[in-house]
Amino acid sequence: MGQPEPLTPLTEDWQRALAVVAHPDDLEFGAAAAVARWTGQGKQVVYCLLTSGEAGIDGMPPDRARVLREEEQRASAAVVGVDTVEFLGLPDGLLEYGVPLRREIAAVVRRHRPDIVITGNFRETWDGAYALNQADHVACGRAVLDGVRDAGNRWLFPEQLVDGVEPWPRVREVWAAASPRARHGVDVTATFERGVASLRAHGAYLSGLGDGGFDAEEFLEGLARPAGTRLGVRYGTAFEVFRLNLG
């Protein structure tokens, strides 16, 4: 087998990013160490969770899980320097791609006015072959791409353009973490441990995975080492980049 394709380093000449994912823990399964790097550079990163992950713990009723998972997500975000975490309250496990979801995302983009939007892998699989992705992730990512573009068009969802809110066509790129088609990456060697700590903050959720013996560091190292090799560093995070150039 040939050597894996090298990753191109992501640009870091930006100041504001908005991360939009489906569930609490989605960012921590790969992207949190990169977020820690960026907040350490003085960049602003805001988290927006479409759902509260209330259907994610088999042994816990949704109403209780919602509160707990929101608390864990806020604590997890704080570990990597993120102090703004929003929950849209959409139904966990039942996200649907379509105009309503695009409308929600466009509103968040217009409110926060980011340079970069981060989301998770929304390809059909995690490995480009057999490991199927989850329906919420696919719907979220597709809606992020379109909602970001919608946010720049004043004739779409014009009811949002009140109280000083304006169209926002200046999102330069959307970055999807952990995509099997990733061709870019960032060195997270110095912040890898903060990424692990951020994932471990989802203790109630992780305790219900498999036999309860999930090892956050082992899992993340299994992602970060191959990405780091492709970058020529110890640990890396890989992203698929979608260039928009709207404004």
Side-chain angles (χ1 to χ4, degrees):
M1 295 178 62
Q3 293 295 315
E5 178 185 354
L7 294 174
T8 300
L10 287 169
T11 180
E12 293 185 318
D13 62 342
W14 51 273
Q15 186 57 34
R16 295 192 307 277
L18 169 67
V20 182
V21 293
H23 316 107
D25 79 68
D26 283 354
L27 286 162
E28 288 69 46
F29 275 99
V35 171
R37 172 188 170 98
W38 294 323
T39 59
Q41 295 170 345
K43 303 183 192 304
Q44 179 190 57
V45 182
V46 170
Y47 283 5
C48 176
L49 289 298
L50 299 184
T51 82
S52 296
E54 68 276 5
I57 302 177
D58 184 64
M60 186 179 295
D63 285 349
R64 181 179 166 205
R66 176 182 293 106
V67 175
L68 182 61
R69 299 205 69 195
E70 288 186 3
E71 290 175 352
E72 289 189 338
Q73 181 61 73
R74 290 189 179 96
S76 174
V79 171
V80 294
V82 174
D83 57 14
T84 301
V85 181
E86 299 182 355
F87 298 89
L88 298 190
L90 301 178
D92 182 19
L94 300 175
L95 293 180
E96 293 183 286
Y97 171 82
V99 171
L101 189 53
R102 286 166 49 191
R103 180 184 289 111
E104 294 270 11
I105 292 169
V108 176
V109 171
R110 286 168 168 173
R111 188 164 66 250
H112 291 290
R113 302 159 67 91
D115 307 307
I116 299 293
V117 172
I118 300 163
T119 192
N121 172 39
F122 56 95
R123 298 297 183 180
E124 291 185 353
T125 70
W126 290 103
D127 59 356
Y130 305 109
L132 287 176
N133 203 347
Q134 197 259 0
D136 279 359
H137 300 154
V138 177
C140 172
R142 288 184 58 204
V144 164
L145 277 185
D146 290 335
V148 165
R149 288 180 291 184
D150 296 339
N153 187 334
R154 72 174 57 255
W155 308 119
L156 294 178
F157 317 130
E159 72 280 0
Q160 297 173 355
L161 304 179
V162 295
D163 298 328
V165 175
E166 294 288 341
W168 185 251
R170 297 186 187 176
V171 176
R172 289 153 47 181
E173 295 178 341
V174 173
W175 297 347
S179 168
R181 300 189 190 181
R183 298 293 181 268
H184 291 74
V186 60
D187 180 0
V188 297
T189 304
T191 54
F192 175 75
E193 292 300 329
R194 288 177 67 192
V196 173
S198 188
L199 179 55
R200 284 178 174 155
H202 294 277
Y205 175 72
L206 297 180
S207 68
L209 291 181
D211 61 3
F214 176 82
D215 187 318
E217 184 169 10
E218 180 181 27
F219 178 87
L220 292 178
E221 190 169 5
L223 298 176
R225 278 197 180 277
T229 297
R230 294 173 67 187
L231 278 166
V233 300
R234 184 178 183 188
Y235 292 132
T237 299
F239 292 85
E240 183 174 4
V241 171
F242 300 86
R243 293 187 176 88
L244 301 178
N245 300 317
L246 296 177

